[in-house]
Amino acid sequence: MLLKDFRDNQRRTRSGSSDSSARTEFRPPSSRRKRLAGSAAFVVLAIAAAVFGALAGLLLIDTVDLPQIQELERYRPSTTTVLYDIHGAQIGSFALERRTVVGYNDFPPILRHAVISIEDKNFEKHWGVNVFRVAGAAYRDLTSDRREQGASTLTMQLAKNLFLSPERSFRRKLQEALLSIQIERNFTKQQIFTLYANQIYLGQGVYGFEAGSEYYFSKRARDLTLPEAALLAALPRGPSYYSPTAHSERALARRNLVINSMLEDGVITAEQAAAAKASPLGLHIEPPPNTLAPWFVEEVRRELNQQFGVSAVHESGLHVYTSLDLSLQQAANHAVMDGLAAYERRRGWHGGLLNVIAAGSSVNAFHHPDWNRTPGPGDYIHGVVSEVLPYEVTVKVGENTYAALAPEGWAWTGHKLASDFLRVGDIVYLRITGTAEGVAPPNTSANGETLLSATLEQDSGVQGALMAINNATGDVLAMVGGRDFALSEYDRATQARRQTGSSFKAYVYTTAMEAGDTPDSIVVDGPVTFHTASGPYTPHDYEHRYQGPVTYERAFADSLNIPALKIAQRVGIRHVIETAHRFGVTSEIPAFLPIALGAAEVSLEEQTSAYSSFPNDGIRITPHFLRRVTTSDGDLLWDGTADLHVSTDAKTARQMMPLFESVIQHGTGAAASQLHHPLGGKTGTTSNFTDAWFLGFSPSVTCGVWVGYDDRQSLGDKETGARAALPIWMHFMQAAIANDPDETFPGQPAATWASAAAKGLQTPSPTPAPRSR
């Protein structure tokens, strides 16, 4: 037993010794590394799987949030509503985004090369995304204060501009990349470029290269030169920062960078690059069409907004055919401005100019709203004096435009030396007469700057308005609502109501004709006192002398007050007011006798429309600004119809015609007889010379003119309708009658006016008109 126990004990000892020896056995190093590597690989794979899963989830979420690519197939960009005159000339436009959509072939190769060279050199090769550029773009968008548009491909820019917000984040950059891939899968490179080229913003409210070409160079994109195309391609990176109008040096440097990029890409030669970089920016920015007839365009805008809604008018690209005649509108603009300038010179130089330096500013910092248009000969513009010499004055009239004044340009002020009455910093009013060659602006480089010649004028605040209507159709052919739309958009042709003076007498005499009187009826011009509810009323004529018994025609032609009051009392002032309302006057008119002399307040539009009844046999057609409206594809949306009213019968209208003609032939409007054309009209002047009117017509056109101050101050002694308003009317009517030399009034032979002329009824220089004329 003991032996057995001993042996068992020995056996266990050897066994334990053997196990211990096994546990301490040596293993090679390579086996340990394999085991560690396997564990690390497992961890990496697990992390990668988690990251991939997270990215896949994020990708799925972003894909769900993305707009459907089919939306791009139906995409129609906001386009410009265009206004046309009666001859098809563009006169204005409305748009939230000024854009002209064209096809791929309308973008010339030189423009396509310029854009691709500077924005996306690999455009023709990539599949919408350049991974390395995307990473760089994401970093710059997150860290830069400025938009780094050039860091993305053209396709990514298109996706961002059409579908995404300007948010700067990795998530938005990822969405941009995903959309770009979808766009590339569904559209050709030509389609993508066309969408991009019609959508990209180029500053000044302009979108797309076609609209950009029209704005900056006044030409179609297909006609662009190399330097012009390079300038447009330079703008998407920063339309404001590289604006050629506000920052010409930056724009020039950026344009030349585009040219160098094109040279590096081999799309132009070194000779072409050198010539292009040596050329100036070459901007040719025409005044926007809206500036030719701004009050008319605004009236059209109001009507369109009411009829179609603001969104349709500013986004749907409507074609609006208006009643305006552009050539007559230009004549109206010059007539009003020249007439007001003549009035200002009659008043003499008053001085009292505002000075920007005295106000704490500087000549270089000053900018006037007039400078938003390019001035040309005959235009009136405000400017700031930049240099004064005894016999020469230089005036800044734009960012890079100056005007030179010579002594003859300010001689009317009574001053010989400019230094006697002008200072640097004075804000002055000029009339541009042409260009001045060979003289550089003071302290500036002549390169790229324009110098004009001008005369000194005066802007005391006097206003003028004009409206012209086609008698047969009611078309508003021309309209001026004031002196300077940039300073005051208030429309004095349609919105202002002013006392009419003697132009109201037309309703007095019409009422008498309707009651059975004739142009040869007699009325006594002599002292009289009327007994009214407010007491005795003793009127007098302007010249305080009386002509005794006169015919209606003579009393009307000379604008005699007492005969008009006697007739109004006899036929009844209420009947006179009813007649005025029948002719389209909508004002509330109190029934008291002095109304016969024009105390009623009426708009120029209503007076002009009313007067158009007389040469139209008593028929008045409501003035209108629109003829028809179509979609951009030519589908008719609206077609106007004439709104006819019978103001009086044809017999009465024709009986009134000799009265109106006598005003021109030998009355207060005799100066107009020099136009040698069948014409009729009536002057109007209110008490204290506050308002000056002339309403008149040819057989085809009726035109009304008003002159006065908004605050109703006096125009000055003897500034009657014949003196202040008639010259403006004559200036305009000379253009209006130019193409109708043989026209006649209804019921009259062609020789009527010539016969009157042969009797010596014209008076070339009429005497000053009476107070109410």
Side-chain angles (χ1 to χ4, degrees):
M1 173 64 83
L2 292 173
L3 181 61
K4 180 178 182 297
D5 291 338
F6 173 78
R7 288 177 177 172
D8 289 338
N9 184 55
Q10 288 293 321
R11 198 182 297 119
R12 283 195 299 269
T13 301
R14 286 196 298 268
S15 174
S17 174
S18 176
D19 289 344
S20 176
S21 175
R23 282 195 299 268
T24 59
E25 181 182 0
F26 174 77
R27 293 184 178 181
S30 60
S31 176
R32 182 187 303 177
R33 284 199 299 269
K34 287 181 180 180
R35 185 174 179 180
L36 291 174
S39 299
F42 177 79
V43 172
V44 169
L45 288 174
I47 294 174
V51 171
F52 179 79
L55 288 175
L58 179 60
L59 195 63
L60 178 61
I61 293 172
D62 282 339
T63 303
V64 171
D65 287 344
L66 285 176
Q68 296 297 312
I69 200 63
Q70 288 76 16
E71 292 180 17
L72 190 56
E73 298 175 0
R74 298 187 296 270
Y75 173 69
R76 294 294 181 272
S78 169
T79 52
T80 302
T81 289
V82 181
L83 279 57
Y84 302 96
D85 84 333
I86 58 175
H87 303 297
Q90 184 176 339
I91 62 166
S93 60
F94 308 134
L96 297 179
E97 300 176 352
R98 298 198 174 276
R99 177 188 287 106
T100 303
V101 176
V102 295
Y104 179 79
N105 291 329
D106 291 303
F107 300 113
I110 194 67
L111 176 62
R112 299 199 296 265
H113 289 317
V115 173
I116 291 173
S117 288
I118 195 65
E119 290 292 328
D120 189 358
K121 291 182 181 295
N122 296 314
F123 173 68
E124 299 292 346
K125 301 176 183 178
H126 63 63
W127 40 273
V129 177
N130 183 316
V131 176
F132 297 103
R133 294 182 68 191
V134 167
Y139 174 78
R140 280 187 289 272
D141 277 351
L142 290 171
T143 60
S144 174
D145 290 332
R146 202 180 52 172
R147 179 169 170 253
E148 296 290 344
Q149 187 179 46
S152 301
T153 67
L154 288 187
T155 314
M156 294 176 71
Q157 292 182 44
L158 176 64
K160 176 169 55 179
N161 291 337
L162 290 180
F163 297 118
L164 301 175
S165 71
E167 174 195 0
R168 292 175 177 174
S169 67
F170 179 80
R171 183 173 183 270
R172 204 273 299 152
K173 185 62 69 176
L174 180 61
Q175 289 180 322
E176 185 180 309
L178 292 173
L179 271 174
S180 300
I181 295 171
Q182 291 188 50
I183 291 172
E184 290 277 351
R185 289 179 59 190
N186 287 272
F187 295 91
T188 66
K189 291 291 186 179
Q190 287 190 3
Q191 290 174 322
I192 293 170
F193 184 89
T194 303
L195 286 166
Y196 170 86
N198 281 314
Q199 179 66 22
I200 196 65
Y201 181 59
L202 301 176
Q204 306 296 325
V206 173
Y207 291 77
F209 291 117
E210 180 70 13
S213 180
E214 292 170 351
Y215 177 81
Y216 289 109
F217 303 112
S218 298
K219 63 171 64 174
R220 299 289 303 274
R222 63 190 178 200
D223 299 321
L224 290 170
T225 63
L226 169 57
E228 292 168 345
L231 178 60
L232 291 185
L235 296 179
R237 178 68 177 268
S240 298
Y241 187 79
Y242 295 111
S243 169
T245 57
H247 307 291
S248 57
E249 292 184 359
R250 294 179 192 168
L252 187 66
R254 175 71 178 170
R255 183 206 66 178
N256 290 345
L257 179 64
V258 174
I259 294 171
N260 287 337
S261 184
M262 296 174 72
L263 177 62
E264 292 172 1
D265 292 343
V267 295
I268 59 174
T269 65
E271 291 75 14
Q272 289 175 314
K277 288 192 290 184
S279 65
L281 290 178
L283 299 180
H284 189 250
I285 301 176
E286 292 287 347
N290 298 33
T291 63
L292 299 174
W295 288 278
F296 182 96
V297 169
E298 282 305 302
E299 189 67 32
V300 168
R301 186 202 299 269
R302 283 193 288 269
E303 289 195 19
L304 291 174
N305 286 348
Q306 291 175 359
Q307 193 156 348
F308 299 102
V310 175
S311 295
V313 172
H314 293 80
E315 298 179 24
S316 299
L318 304 179
H319 287 190
V320 181
Y321 300 89
T322 74
S323 62
L324 191 83
D325 185 319
L326 184 57
S327 61
L328 292 184
Q329 179 64 43
Q330 292 170 329
N333 292 341
H334 287 296
V336 171
M337 298 305 294
D338 289 348
L340 296 182
Y343 162 78
E344 296 276 17
R345 289 194 175 202
R346 287 197 300 271
R347 289 193 56 172
W349 180 254
H350 287 267
L353 301 175
L354 297 176
N355 188 282
V356 299
I357 296 175
S361 185
S362 67
V363 171
N364 290 334
F366 179 76
H367 180 91
H368 196 276
D370 285 354
W371 299 359
N372 294 330
R373 56 185 172 87
T374 303
D379 289 341
Y380 292 78
I381 190 170
H382 291 85
V384 58
V385 175
S386 57
E387 184 179 55
V388 178
L389 300 175
Y391 297 102
E392 182 181 350
V393 177
T394 304
V395 181
K396 186 179 181 182
V397 293
E399 294 304 327
N400 293 294
T401 308
Y402 295 81
L405 301 179
E408 57 269 23
W410 68 74
W412 67 272
T413 67
H415 294 281
K416 291 185 178 181
L417 303 180
S419 52
D420 288 343
F421 70 109
L422 292 176
R423 297 178 300 158
V424 172
D426 282 346
I427 299 175
V428 293
Y429 192 55
L430 309 178
R431 181 180 186 272
I432 303 300
T433 57
T435 58
E437 301 294 339
V439 183
N443 304 319
T444 61
S445 169
N447 182 34
E449 294 175 337
T450 303
L451 187 64
L452 307 171
S453 60
T455 58
L456 181 65
E457 305 296 338
Q458 184 169 243
D459 183 0
S460 67
V462 67
Q463 296 290 340
L466 179 151
M467 177 174 279
I469 299 173
N470 184 306
N471 299 334
T473 65
D475 285 347
V476 177
L477 301 173
M479 186 175 80
V480 178
R483 189 169 190 167
D484 192 334
F485 187 79
L487 298 180
S488 173
E489 297 182 12
Y490 180 60
D491 190 345
R492 296 155 190 85
T494 63
Q495 297 173 326
R497 292 183 177 273
R498 303 294 292 243
Q499 290 189 357
T500 61
S502 285
S503 66
F504 194 85
K505 291 176 182 175
Y507 310 124
V508 174
Y509 284 84
T510 297
T511 306
M513 299 293 179
E514 291 175 339
D517 292 351
T518 70
D520 295 325
S521 295
I522 301 297
V523 62
V524 177
D525 177 32
V528 65
T529 296
F530 298 97
H531 298 284
T532 68
S534 58
Y537 169 48
T538 304
H540 54 79
D541 288 327
Y542 174 71
E543 295 174 342
H544 295 277
R545 60 184 180 182
Y546 306 101
Q547 298 187 23
V550 292
T551 64
Y552 280 16
E553 181 179 333
R554 177 67 179 272
F556 190 84
D558 290 346
S559 198
L560 301 178
N561 288 341
I562 291 175
L565 289 166
K566 286 184 175 181
I567 295 170
Q569 185 187 48
R570 182 174 60 80
V571 301
I573 192 62
R574 294 185 184 277
H575 289 147
V576 173
I577 294 171
E578 290 173 2
T579 299
H581 287 158
R582 204 180 337 120
F583 272 75
V585 175
T586 61
S587 304
E588 291 292 331
I589 304 175
F592 61 89
L593 192 59
I595 285 293
L597 301 184
E601 294 191 343
V602 183
S603 73
L604 177 63
E605 179 183 19
E606 288 184 353
Q607 277 289 79
T608 306
S609 174
Y611 268 63
S612 71
S613 305
F614 295 109
N616 207 33
D617 272 348
I619 303 299
R620 176 176 56 86
I621 304 174
T622 303
H624 55 265
F625 299 83
L626 301 178
R627 285 185 157 190
R628 71 179 189 279
V629 180
T630 71
T631 66
S632 57
D633 296 325
D635 297 329
L636 185 65
L637 293 177
W638 179 86
D639 195 5
T641 56
D643 184 17
L644 277 66
H645 302 272
V646 178
S647 298
T648 189
D649 58 84
K651 177 185 176 182
T652 300
R654 294 191 181 189
Q655 282 184 313
M656 286 294 295
M657 290 305 297
L659 276 66
F660 291 113
E661 290 177 288
S662 67
V663 172
I664 302 294
Q665 293 165 0
H666 59 85
T668 56
S673 63
Q674 63 188 269
L675 296 179
H676 303 293
H677 195 87
L679 300 169
K682 185 70 187 77
T683 52
T685 312
T686 59
S687 298
N688 198 34
F689 305 100
T690 300
D691 302 272
W693 296 74
F694 193 84
L695 282 300
F697 42 74
S698 69
S700 57
V701 176
T702 296
C703 175
V705 174
W706 167 85
V707 175
Y709 285 90
D710 288 340
D711 61 3
R712 301 178 187 266
Q713 66 174 280
S714 174
L715 288 166
D717 189 41
K718 301 186 185 305
E719 289 294 341
T720 63
R723 194 179 194 194
L726 178 59
I728 297 174
W729 185 87
M730 291 170 56
H731 187 159
F732 173 80
M733 289 301 292
Q734 188 168 19
I737 64 178
N739 296 325
D740 294 301
D742 300 323
E743 63 178 347
T744 60
F745 289 117
Q748 294 184 0
T752 299
W753 184 89
S755 175
K759 294 178 182 179
L761 296 178
Q762 305 95 318
T763 305
S765 301
T767 56
R771 180 180 298 274
S772 59
R773 294 178 183 180

